[in-house]
Amino acid sequence: MDIDVNVIEQMVKKAIAQVSNEGNITCAPSAQQRGNYGVFDTMDGAIEASVIAQRQLLRSSMEERKIYVDAIRQAVLNRENLEMISLLSVEETQIGKYEHKIIKNRLAAQKTPGIEDLITEAQSGDNGLTLIEYCAFGVIGAITPTTNPTETIICNSISMIAGGNTVVFSPHPRATKVSHLLVTILNKALEEVGAPANMITTVKEPSIENTNAMCEHPKIRMLVATGGPSIVRKVMSTGKKAIGAGAGNPPVVVDETADIEKAAKDIIDGCSFDNNVPCIAEKEVFAVDQICDYLIHCMKLNGAYEMKDPAMIEKLDALVTNEKGAPKVEFVGKSAKHILGKLGITVGDEVRVIIMEVNKNHHLVTEEMMMPILPVVRCHDVDEAIEEAYVAENGNRHTAMMHSKNVDKLTKMAKLLETTIFVKNAPSYAGIGVGGEGHTTFTIAGPTGEGLTSARSFCRKRKCVMSDGLHIR
Ligand code: NAD
């Protein structure tokens, strides 16, 4: 991509200065408390403003809701905004790739469904007409991850507002600046189209304490957590309606019937996307012995660096893993070139993924590493590969991929793993609408069962009965 990083850096600095200045305004001067553009000193302030906004939103027509959603889309698609949030996201979190953040943010703006997702059910008969409509839940508290800080805010804001809700975000503290910048941009865009103020709010200093305050606040009617197991467990134990979009460890199976050249390219493309941080990205491969060598050969032709020395593989694992066995924060979302550089191995930018053959119990297989390290496990046959993929997925029921032309085995794997997303013969991102049919989301709710969330996931189903009339048969 042709970008002038210096120009964008200047733009980001300007935007941060703007956000900080606006954050200092404690007594909002403009109408409807718009002065802070959604960023509040306290969590309580952010929630109270959201309550007022939600009451106003309920009085808006569906056509107006559509205008608000379109304003969010346009604000993100504005080139300057898109570049600023993508660059600042990488700069602040030190996670992922600028070019891929651009793609992900654009995807969230373009392919998250709006009000068209709220399809009314009707039942008609001798006793009249009954409608079941998707209605607002109220004020939603949404917790967002470091790995997709802006993508999650964009897709949650579109879906939740389309559903008639307002949203209070509790971002990861390491993504504070970029979250503030985006919330500010979205509030300004919404103000320009005459939307109620503060439909999207957040707090000046995100923290675990502020997240806890949000979870416990009586005026928060629904909690949506996009992150690891700890925050998902937390929202599910609050006694409130909770949607949990949790961790994955997506395995890929490749059998002898697959188009191996294509499988190798798809796997490297999916695994290296945004330096492997997407929760759906390929994290380990189970390949049938018959094609395993050729698959590795083809992966190398597509930007994989193969590590063969067992001692070096252990050194790599020790480098990127903390004392608890989890990935070290400073290596999450870093490039293969950066990681190899730390081991004294110099490679070019064409190297996108580090691969190595290991056994099925290796730590790099069993742990969700979120960096472009892709262990390959050689299996006797496809049945063994499917069984081992099931074990590695670790019961997350999140995402899995298979490259095969054997319909029976594809069906077998899909049934056994029960993942929310199962991609056949494509990179993982086909599962969120890139090169695959269907909408996108960055909140994939496996644990609570909503699946790929959209406006209707954040709604209450309500029934409206007209007795003895309005049926026309
Ligand atoms: P994380 O769990 O460390 O943080 C996620 C959010 O939860 C952050 O805002 C964080 O501040 C908050 N949080 C975490 N633990 C908390 C606690 N005990 N109390 C209060 N707040 C808490 O995750 P991360 O590193 O930011 O993101 C990566 C993880 O998220 C991976 O496991 C990935 O698979 C998962 N993820 C899932 C989806 C999905 O749609 N299912 C999408 C993106 C990321």
Side-chain angles (χ1 to χ4, degrees):
M1 193 170 296
D2 195 14
I3 50 157
D4 184 338
V5 175
N6 291 332
V7 171
I8 297 173
E9 252 178 74
Q10 287 310 315
M11 280 161 36
V12 170
K13 281 189 186 131
K14 207 172 98 191
I16 296 171
Q18 207 179 331
V19 172
S20 339
N21 288 339
E22 277 152 7
N24 288 336
I25 300 169
T26 46
C27 165
S30 68
Q32 292 103 34
Q33 302 170 335
R34 279 180 175 133
N36 50 23
Y37 291 102
V39 182
F40 283 78
D41 285 343
T42 62
M43 184 51 86
D44 207 48
I47 295 172
E48 291 300 339
S50 193
V51 170
I52 295 168
Q54 207 263 331
R55 276 194 218 118
Q56 292 170 347
L57 179 60
L58 279 183
R59 291 198 292 272
S60 303
S61 65
M62 291 307 286
E63 186 53 35
E64 283 167 331
R65 268 196 222 174
K66 183 176 179 312
I67 291 170
Y68 308 155
V69 166
D70 286 345
I72 295 174
R73 296 190 201 282
Q74 290 315 316
V76 175
L77 294 174
N78 169 287
R79 189 173 163 184
E80 194 178 332
N81 291 340
L82 186 63
E83 289 174 351
M84 278 198 304
I85 58 171
S86 303
L87 190 74
L88 186 53
S89 182
V90 177
E91 274 196 2
E92 185 181 16
T93 64
Q94 296 288 307
I95 290 175
K97 277 188 77 162
Y98 168 76
E99 290 83 353
H100 294 170
K101 296 285 184 202
I102 293 259
I103 296 171
K104 287 164 72 183
N105 286 316
R106 190 186 287 132
L107 178 70
Q110 288 176 330
K111 289 195 84 172
T112 303
I115 61 164
E116 71 282 3
D117 191 55
L118 308 172
I119 298 168
T120 299
E121 288 171 42
Q123 293 159 3
S124 68
D126 295 342
N127 287 329
L129 173 70
T130 290
L131 298 179
I132 298 171
E133 292 193 313
Y134 285 106
C135 302
F137 230 94
V139 179
I140 300 178
I143 299 126
T144 53
T146 42
T147 48
N148 302 327
T150 50
E151 302 86 331
T152 312
I153 290 182
I154 297 163
C155 98
N156 282 182
S157 296
I158 292 174
S159 305
M160 290 169 185
I161 290 173
N165 309 285
T166 55
V167 52
V168 182
F169 283 107
S170 196
H172 195 290
R174 284 201 309 274
T176 302
K177 286 183 196 153
V178 74
S179 303
H180 285 179
L181 174 62
L182 178 56
V183 166
T184 306
I185 288 171
L186 297 183
N187 275 286
K188 284 183 179 172
L190 286 165
E191 181 181 48
E192 275 169 24
V193 296
N198 301 317
M199 293 199 297
I200 303 167
T201 63
T202 189
V203 70
K204 207 185 216 176
E205 283 175 20
S207 62
I208 293 209
E209 293 69 35
N210 273 324
T211 301
N212 291 343
M214 185 174 85
C215 291
E216 285 158 20
H217 200 291
K219 290 183 181 167
I220 294 284
R221 289 233 177 98
M222 177 195 265
L223 287 163
V224 179
T226 307
S230 151
I231 189 61
V232 169
R233 257 196 316 274
K234 172 164 278 183
V235 298
M236 286 173 75
S237 62
T238 57
K240 296 184 184 200
K241 165 72 185 179
I243 293 184
N249 191 31
V252 195
V253 165
V254 187
D255 78 7
E256 67 283 7
T257 68
D259 176 341
I260 304 301
E261 287 94 352
K262 180 176 185 304
K265 180 174 185 319
D266 287 353
I267 292 169
I268 298 300
D269 285 350
C271 174
S272 60
F273 189 62
D274 209 17
N275 288 338
N276 196 245
V277 288
C279 53
I280 58 165
E282 289 79 352
K283 301 279 190 293
E284 61 277 338
V285 176
F286 297 89
V288 171
D289 182 33
Q290 192 184 326
I291 50 85
C292 192
D293 290 332
Y294 189 51
L295 180 72
I296 289 174
H297 168 78
C298 294
M299 284 171 145
K300 284 156 78 175
L301 294 179
N302 281 283
Y305 172 93
E306 189 184 11
M307 199 170 260
K308 282 194 161 169
D309 176 8
M312 191 53 104
I313 296 170
E314 293 323 304
K315 213 170 148 187
L316 169 71
D317 193 13
L319 173 75
V320 298
T321 304
N322 68 22
E323 61 291 348
K324 290 183 189 153
K328 275 189 197 151
V329 170
E330 64 264 37
F331 285 100
V332 168
K334 290 293 192 302
S335 68
K337 182 181 171 180
H338 173 90
I339 297 168
L340 287 170
K342 295 285 174 193
L343 291 172
I345 301 168
T346 308
V347 295
D349 289 328
E350 72 286 356
V351 168
R352 296 188 283 160
V353 172
I354 309 165
I355 60 170
M356 68 287 299
E357 224 187 299
V358 292
N359 80 47
K360 62 185 183 185
N361 299 318
H362 196 278
H363 170 256
L364 292 173
V365 173
T366 55
E367 188 72 29
E368 183 197 28
M369 295 303 285
M370 295 183 283
M371 54 190 83
I373 295 176
L374 187 67
V376 179
V377 179
R378 191 180 290 262
C379 299
H380 181 65
D381 59 22
V382 63
D383 293 311
E384 185 190 329
I386 292 172
E387 285 299 327
E388 296 310 339
Y390 172 71
V391 174
E393 213 275 324
N394 200 19
N396 293 313
R397 301 197 295 177
H398 193 300
T399 297
M401 275 62 64
M402 185 167 180
H403 294 266
S404 170
K405 292 191 181 126
N406 184 332
V407 173
D408 290 346
K409 299 303 178 189
L410 285 162
T411 309
K412 177 178 176 175
M413 180 159 167
K415 280 189 155 190
L416 180 67
L417 271 70
E418 294 185 286
T419 47
T420 305
I421 297 178
F422 184 61
V423 177
K424 306 174 189 108
N425 300 321
S428 49
Y429 45 67
I432 54 166
V434 182
E437 289 301 320
H439 73 269
T440 204
T441 181
F442 286 86
T443 296
I444 299 156
T448 47
E450 291 77 8
L452 281 89
T453 56
S454 58
R456 71 180 75 167
S457 318
F458 307 110
C459 287
R460 298 169 63 218
K461 277 175 120 177
R462 292 169 54 205
K463 183 173 179 180
C464 211
V465 180
M466 173 77 184
S467 181
D468 296 334
L470 286 182
H471 69 103
I472 54 172
R473 287 178 289 195

